[in-house]
Amino acid sequence: MALVKFPKDIESLLAPYSISEATPYLDNNLLSKGFTHSSAAAIPERKVVGVTPISIRTTISMPAEKRPGLCGSAVLNDKGELVGIHTGSIHHTEDPGKDVAYATHAHYLYKLVEAYHNGGVAKVPFYFDDKPIFDMDIDEYLTAGSLLDENQKAIKNLTFESKFSYSKIKNAIADKPEGRYLQLTTRRAQWDKDGLALIEGRTSSDHSIKTTYVYDLKEQKLIKKRQTVYNPATRRDTKIDVPLN
């Protein structure tokens, strides 16, 4: 993939896609435009069935045998803005109507390229209900969450063994409407030895920096950010409150 910046005065001639600032949500309808190995292809009505801070899962109506080559296709919202890059699909052998396609968020790819040229440093906004509620470092990944009541006591815990899921949060809020606060926990991935890829820990021995965010669902604002740092000498964690600004 290449990201190319054009001078403003020639954008109208090239008609590039603008990167969408908003994150698509469940049931949004997207479309994609690109090429297979044999021809140009446009796929309408790609309904969103799952979203994470990094990836988007959608339905896909194109028959599986015609899809090779689609990777890299532009996935667009109803405004014609780029929301992702198609990265593959899974074919359900018994019911093609259950086929799922995947795309990587365009803004995440943009930030990943920025980090590559900036010593591994870049910020990625975390969206909730179409609002950016905090900025994650490019190497942060979400590992757990919980709904808290008015007294900030946990009433429902959420675990993300493989990939974070917005749908889990949505379902939890629907199940526990009395929930007042959303608490999310992140850990840090490590760059590989070549500095080209981020590798997530996701094991019991992962002692990377843990960051906890608490978001007030009623007031719609972030109220707490706390980091937990593991000291291998004492085998203890140190908790540090981080200023929100």
Side-chain angles (χ1 to χ4, degrees):
M1 182 188 72
L3 294 180
V4 182
K5 293 184 178 180
F6 302 108
K8 288 287 185 182
D9 57 346
I10 67 168
E11 281 191 354
S12 60
L13 302 177
L14 298 168
Y17 294 123
S18 297
I19 295 179
S20 172
E21 294 184 0
T23 297
Y25 279 87
L26 294 179
D27 297 329
N28 283 171
N29 277 320
L30 307 176
L31 63 97
S32 59
K33 294 182 179 181
F35 296 87
T36 64
H37 288 327
S38 58
S39 63
I43 307 174
E45 297 295 322
R46 289 184 57 164
K47 187 176 181 179
V48 177
V49 296
V51 184
T52 78
I54 296 175
S55 68
I56 306 165
R57 285 175 291 163
T58 74
T59 59
I60 183 168
S61 58
M62 177 178 280
E65 65 272 13
K66 295 184 177 180
R67 295 175 200 165
L70 280 178
C71 290
S73 298
V75 180
L76 311 168
N77 60 20
D78 58 2
K79 298 178 182 178
E81 298 170 330
L82 184 73
V83 298
I85 301 294
H86 179 92
T87 52
S89 62
I90 293 177
H91 178 58
H92 194 287
T93 55
E94 296 181 0
D95 184 358
K98 295 181 180 179
D99 286 4
V100 175
Y102 296 85
T104 300
H105 278 302
H107 72 79
Y108 181 79
L109 291 170
Y110 188 92
K111 290 296 182 180
L112 197 61
V113 173
E114 178 183 314
Y116 177 75
H117 292 287
N118 192 35
V121 177
K123 297 286 187 179
V124 177
F126 179 87
Y127 283 87
F128 186 73
D129 283 343
D130 288 328
K131 296 178 180 178
I133 63 174
F134 58 82
D135 283 336
M136 294 169 51
D137 290 328
I138 194 73
D139 60 351
E140 282 186 87
Y141 62 96
L142 286 131
T143 58
S146 56
L147 274 181
L148 313 179
D149 63 15
E150 290 281 350
N151 298 314
Q152 296 193 30
K153 299 295 183 180
I155 57 176
K156 191 172 184 68
N157 293 320
L158 308 169
T159 57
F160 310 110
E161 292 83 2
S162 55
K163 293 297 180 184
F164 172 82
S165 169
Y166 278 112
S167 57
K168 273 196 174 184
I169 292 181
K170 296 289 187 181
N171 293 338
I173 292 175
D175 183 49
K176 298 287 186 180
E178 68 271 25
R180 171 67 186 271
Y181 303 98
L182 173 63
Q183 179 174 284
L184 296 171
T185 299
T186 69
R187 286 193 179 273
R188 297 298 180 104
Q190 302 295 319
W191 291 94
D192 69 1
K193 63 180 181 180
D194 297 320
L196 300 178
L198 285 169
I199 302 173
E200 297 175 1
R202 295 191 182 276
T203 66
S204 59
S205 61
D206 180 12
H207 294 304
S208 62
I209 295 174
K210 181 170 69 175
T211 304
T212 300
Y213 301 88
V214 179
Y215 179 72
D216 188 329
L217 294 166
K218 182 177 180 180
E219 299 294 331
Q220 297 186 335
K221 65 179 181 180
L222 190 69
I223 63 169
K224 184 186 293 184
K225 178 181 179 181
R226 174 177 289 174
Q227 288 190 333
T228 302
V229 182
Y230 179 75
N231 186 331
T234 62
R235 296 184 179 181
R236 294 179 179 271
D237 291 331
T238 299
K239 295 183 179 180
I240 306 167
D241 286 327
V242 179
L244 297 179
N245 56 1

